[in-house]
Each structure stands twice: as structure tokens, then as C-alpha cells.
């Protein structure tokens, strides 16, 4: 390997793992060979290691004195709330409310259905009223016979005249 | 499917003393939970502080993590090391907090006492090459801010993986368990994270 040869992508990926001691024996040997042969690789690994050391500069804040006390107090409070939710009467109340809710929904649905049936759906009497005009003239309509005959009568003036004469004679 | 003979399996994590404490907490021993809080509080606050970039808020988040652990204690099963579980919860809490903080535009470093930062942190990370500004000019606090900036430049998973590895000394397998990743994926994640850190900080490496 040339002194200035850069590492392959795979080798570069293994470099950090090599520094962390997470490579198996074969991969470790490969990296060590590459490092022995390439100055660039050695520089790379050196830079990686030193950059990682810079992380020591990161602040490491600590918890405040009262942190554990406060946390435990809040945890117990949470527990009390959870206990309250697990209590028998709380669950009974919750169950009661649930049933009441369902009952209310059913009543509301029944009311809505009644309203629709009462005010929205057409009733038999209303239909009769709507058709009153037709019902009153029903006998005449029956005498007239079929619609196409009336249409023909409307178009054929001679036929109308003839029928009028015949009906006049019949009345006489 | 052949029926397997029922062999009682003992969790390998039962040897973890913290798992034992958590099991005691599960059974109603508040003192055991208190012991866990005391044991992990500083580590958790430190981790979350660097995770979200706000040390004031870190304590609230750490408390949230412990409360989640406490609330979940009744269903606790030792399926991992206690610390792995704790840090998995912490990662989740930190990510959720980060999202809501981004919405409120609260994510920021401590206002730099050393002077105003430019809009683009990348520009800040380029060292002066004039030769008039020796590396020593960067005082510890300033360098600390650059390192914080570089860390905040990583994505959440990368940052958490780096913090767990660097400060908690966790193996790739344990980090993978905490972040729900394979060790191979952790290897790639940490490699990319360290490459990113290097590209941002190499100007400050002596």
C-alpha cells in the first residue's frame, strides 16, 4: 500500500470500531496492516481519536441536591393518583358513567328517530290530501280511458266533434 | 411444530444488581427505587444535558424518565440490563422533548458569554488560518462551546450513541439494545458520527 493511499470506505467505517475495540480479530488485523502501510491512514485514525478526546470538554451537569427527593415525592404522588384510579368506587363510578353515557346516546337516538318519523316521513292521510284533486275527478278520468286516447282527441278535431255530437245525441 | 420441553429460562440479566433493585421496586420497595434514582441521577442529567443542549431542562427530563420507569414498574420484566432500559427511555424522552422544543424554538445553547455566534455554526468552526490566532487563543469555555455545537450538529441517534459510548462506556451491542438497532448499524452510526465530529473539530485538535 502506498504511503499516501487513503482507506477504503469499509476500512474507514471499521476505523472507529477499531479504536473502540469492537472489531473481530480478522478485521483488526486488516486495519492494523493498513495503518502500518499508510501514513494517511495513521493520520486519519489519529485525528479520529483526538477529536473523540475533545468530547471530554463537554460539560457534565449534575443533578441538584433535592433532585432525588423531589423525584420520589412526585413519583409517590403519581402513585397515589394511580391508586385513586384503581380504587373500587372510582371504577364503579366510571362504569356507571359509561352506562349512563350509553343510555343517553340511546335516548337521543330514539328521540331523533321519533322526530324524523313524525315530521319528515309523509303519512297516509297527507298522501290522500295531496291526491284529493285526482281522487275527486277519478270517475271522469276513468270514463276518459287511456291517456293516449285523450292525446289523440286533442290532436284530432274531427274526432272531438264526432264524439261531442254522439254524446249530445245520447243525452237527448 | 415439535413441542419443546418446558425448560425454565432464567434471565441472564438477573445478575445485574440494578435489575435486582428494579425487581424490588416492582414488588413495592420504594427504597430500592430511591437507590436507583440516586445511582443514576447525575449520569442521566449529564447525558440529557448534552443530548438536548440545555442543562436547565435536563433535570426536568431526567425526572420524567424516572417517573416513566416508576409508572412502568408493575409490568417490569428483566429483558435487558437496567441501564439499557433506562437509556432507551431517556432517548425517547429526549427525542420527544427535542421535537416540542423545536416547535417552540427553544433549542439553543447557553447564550455565549464570549460573544455573539454567527448564524452558521459551521463558519464558526473554521479556525483562523492567518497564523495570528494561535490555537491557545481558544480558551477552555470557547472550545467547550465548539464541541457542544459539533455535538448538536449530529442527529439525535448519533448524538445519543456517542454519549452512551463515550460517557457510559457502553458496548455497541448495548447501545444497539438501547436504540433498537443492530450492533452493525451502531458501528456505522458511530463511524459517521465520529467522521462528522472530526470534520467539525479537526481545526481544534492539537
Amino acid at each position: 500500500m502506498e504511503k499516501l493511499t487513503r482507506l477504503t470506505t469499509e476500512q474507514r467505517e471499521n476505523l472507529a470500531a477499531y479504536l473502540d475495540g469492537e472489531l473481530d480479530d480478522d478485521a483488526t488485523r486488516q486495519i492494523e496492516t493498513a495503518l502500518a502501510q499508510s501514513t494517511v491512514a495513521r493520520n486519519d485514525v489519529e485525528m479520529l481519536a483526538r477529536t473523540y478526546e475533545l468530547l471530554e470538554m463537554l460539560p457534565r451537569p449534575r443533578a441538584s441536591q433535592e433532585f432525588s427527593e423531589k423525584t420520589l415525592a412526585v413519583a409517590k404522588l403519581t402513585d397515589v393518583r394511580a391508586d385513586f384510579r384503581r380504587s373500587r368506587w372510582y371504577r364503579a363510578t366510571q362504569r356507571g358513567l359509561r352506562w349512563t353515557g350509553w343510555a343517553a346516546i340511546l335516548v337521543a337516538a330514539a328521540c331523533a328517530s321519533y322526530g324524523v318519523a313524525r315530521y319528515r316521513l309523509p303519512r297516509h292521510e297527507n298522501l290522500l290530501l295531496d291526491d284529493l284533486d285526482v281522487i275527486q275527478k277519478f270517475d271522469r278520468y276513468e270514463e276518459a280511458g287511456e291517456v293516449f286516447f285523450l292525446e289523440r282527441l286533442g290532436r284530432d278535431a274531427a274526432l272531438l266533434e264526432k264524439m261531442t255530437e254522439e254524446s249530445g245525441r245520447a243525452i237527448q | 411444530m415439535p413441542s419443546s420441553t418446558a425448560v425454565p429460562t432464567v434471565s441472564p440479566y438477573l445478575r445485574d444488581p440494578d435489575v435486582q433493585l428494579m425487581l424490588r421496586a416492582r414488588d413495592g420497595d420504594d427504597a430500592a427505587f430511591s437507590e436507583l434514582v440516586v445511582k443514576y441521577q447525575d449520569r442521566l442529567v449529564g447525558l440529557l444535558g448534552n443530548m438536548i443542549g440545555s442543562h436547565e431542562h435536563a433535570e426536568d427530563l431526567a425526572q420524567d424518565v424516572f417517573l416513566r420507569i416508576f409508572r412502568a414498574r408493575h409490568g417490569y420484566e428483566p429483558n435487558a440490563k437496567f441501564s439499557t432500559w433506562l437509556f432507551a427511555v431517556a432517548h425517547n424522552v429526549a427525542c420527544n422533548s427535542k421535537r416540542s422544543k423545536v416547535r417552540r424554538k427553544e433549542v439553543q445553547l447557553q447564550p455565549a458569554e464570549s460573544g455573539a455566534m454567527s448564524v452558521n455554526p459551521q463558519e464558526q468552526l473554521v479556525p483562523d488560518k492567518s497564523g495570528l490566532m494561535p490555537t491557545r487563543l481558544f480558551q477552555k469555555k470557547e472550545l467547550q462551546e465548539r464541541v457542544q455545537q459539533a455535538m448538536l450538529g449530529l442527529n439525535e441517534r448519533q448524538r445519543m450513541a456517542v454519549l452512551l459510548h463515550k460517557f457510559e462506556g457502553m458496548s455497541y451491542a448495548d447501545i444497539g439494545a438501547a436504540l433498537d438497532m443492530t450492533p452493525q448499524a451502531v458501528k456505522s452510526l458511530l463511524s459517521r458520527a465520529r467522521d462528522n465530529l472530526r470534520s467539525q473539530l479537526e481545526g481544534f485538535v492539537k
Side-chain angles (χ1 to χ4, degrees):
Chain A
M1 186 181 281
E2 292 289 321
K3 278 189 173 181
L4 296 178
T5 302
R6 285 196 165 271
L7 294 170
T8 64
T9 311
E10 192 189 343
Q11 283 174 325
R12 287 190 61 76
E13 194 165 283
N14 281 341
L15 220 49
Y18 168 74
L19 287 171
D20 297 338
E22 291 271 357
L23 285 185
D24 59 30
D25 290 347
D26 275 354
T28 303
R29 216 171 299 121
Q30 278 178 24
I31 288 291
E32 282 174 350
T33 307
L35 290 176
Q37 292 173 344
S38 167
T39 312
V40 173
R42 280 201 297 279
N43 186 50
D44 275 353
V45 81
E46 182 76 6
M47 286 302 288
L48 271 183
R50 285 191 178 188
T51 310
Y52 214 48
E53 279 170 20
L54 277 182
L55 298 187
E56 302 286 347
M57 302 285 299
L58 285 172
R60 301 288 292 156
R62 297 168 69 89
S64 58
Q65 292 286 328
E66 67 276 15
F67 177 82
S68 58
E69 205 177 313
K70 216 164 60 181
T71 302
L72 292 168
V74 176
K76 280 181 183 163
L77 193 67
T78 313
D79 218 24
V80 169
R81 280 191 196 141
D83 280 348
F84 167 74
R85 288 200 188 99
R86 278 196 292 268
S87 67
R88 202 172 166 183
W89 70 266
Y90 178 84
R91 280 186 294 168
T93 308
Q94 213 177 23
R95 201 166 39 239
L97 283 173
R98 203 177 300 128
W99 281 110
T100 310
W102 279 112
I105 289 169
L106 282 175
V107 169
C111 289
S113 307
Y114 174 77
V116 169
R118 175 76 181 80
Y119 299 107
R120 294 285 175 188
L121 292 181
R123 291 191 298 172
H124 183 63
E125 304 91 83
N126 293 343
L127 288 174
L128 288 178
L129 279 175
D130 286 348
D131 296 338
L132 183 62
D133 196 35
V134 177
I135 293 166
Q136 282 174 337
K137 296 173 182 169
F138 190 70
D139 290 343
R140 274 201 229 167
Y141 289 143
E142 250 190 351
E143 280 173 19
E146 294 173 354
V147 175
F148 75 85
F149 169 72
L150 292 174
E151 283 175 351
R152 194 181 143 205
L153 199 60
R155 285 196 303 270
D156 193 342
L159 179 61
L160 182 62
E161 197 176 330
K162 186 182 167 189
M163 286 191 70
T164 310
E165 280 172 14
E166 278 178 8
S167 64
R169 254 183 267 137
I171 290 167
Q172 285 171 5
Chain B
M1 195 173 159
S3 62
S4 57
T5 48
V7 178
T9 52
V10 179
S11 169
Y13 302 106
L14 288 175
R15 284 194 293 266
D16 179 357
D18 297 336
V19 164
Q20 289 297 332
L21 284 173
M22 192 60 213
L23 287 171
R24 277 170 50 199
R26 181 184 71 179
D27 297 338
D29 184 348
D30 287 349
F33 182 72
S34 172
E35 216 174 306
L36 284 170
V37 172
V38 171
K39 186 171 180 180
Y40 281 95
Q41 58 182 12
D42 286 339
R43 290 160 68 180
L44 202 53
V45 170
L47 180 88
L48 289 167
N50 284 308
M51 195 57 200
I52 60 172
S54 160
H55 301 148
E56 285 78 13
H57 196 40
E59 206 162 286
D60 292 340
L61 292 189
Q63 190 177 71
D64 190 15
V65 172
F66 283 122
L67 290 180
R68 285 183 188 213
I69 297 279
F70 189 75
R71 279 196 294 266
R73 72 192 188 286
H74 293 299
Y76 176 71
E77 292 293 338
N79 297 323
K81 283 185 194 168
F82 174 77
S83 57
T84 304
W85 180 42
L86 182 83
F87 292 131
V89 175
H91 178 60
N92 192 28
V93 166
C95 290
N96 290 343
S97 153
K98 179 88 177 175
R99 276 179 218 117
S100 56
K101 279 181 91 181
V102 163
R103 279 198 291 274
R104 295 198 305 264
K105 297 187 176 180
E106 282 181 10
V107 174
Q108 55 184 14
L109 280 176
Q110 300 286 328
E113 290 166 18
S114 54
M117 296 282 278
S118 76
V119 176
N120 183 1
Q122 298 285 343
E123 287 169 16
Q124 288 287 320
L125 295 172
V126 177
D128 194 313
K129 289 176 180 166
S130 65
L132 299 172
M133 202 173 203
T135 314
R136 281 199 309 180
L137 196 64
F138 288 103
Q139 297 297 318
K140 187 182 172 190
K141 189 160 173 53
E142 286 182 288
L143 182 54
Q144 190 181 59
E145 282 174 5
R146 305 300 167 109
V147 177
Q148 278 181 290
Q149 284 281 5
M151 277 297 283
L152 290 175
L154 302 179
N155 68 39
E156 285 164 1
R157 271 180 184 246
Q158 286 179 348
R159 203 178 320 137
M160 183 54 98
V162 167
L163 291 170
L164 290 178
H165 183 262
K166 179 73 184 173
F167 296 111
E168 292 299 324
M170 285 171 73
S171 67
Y172 286 11
D174 286 343
I175 295 170
L179 303 185
D180 197 19
M181 299 170 81
T182 62
Q184 186 63 33
V186 172
K187 188 177 92 171
S188 300
L189 184 77
L190 276 173
S191 173
R192 285 196 302 276
R194 290 172 77 152
D195 268 347
N196 288 343
L197 287 173
R198 192 186 71 162
S199 67
Q200 293 196 50
L201 294 172
E202 63 187 343
F204 308 105
V205 173
K206 288 174 189 170

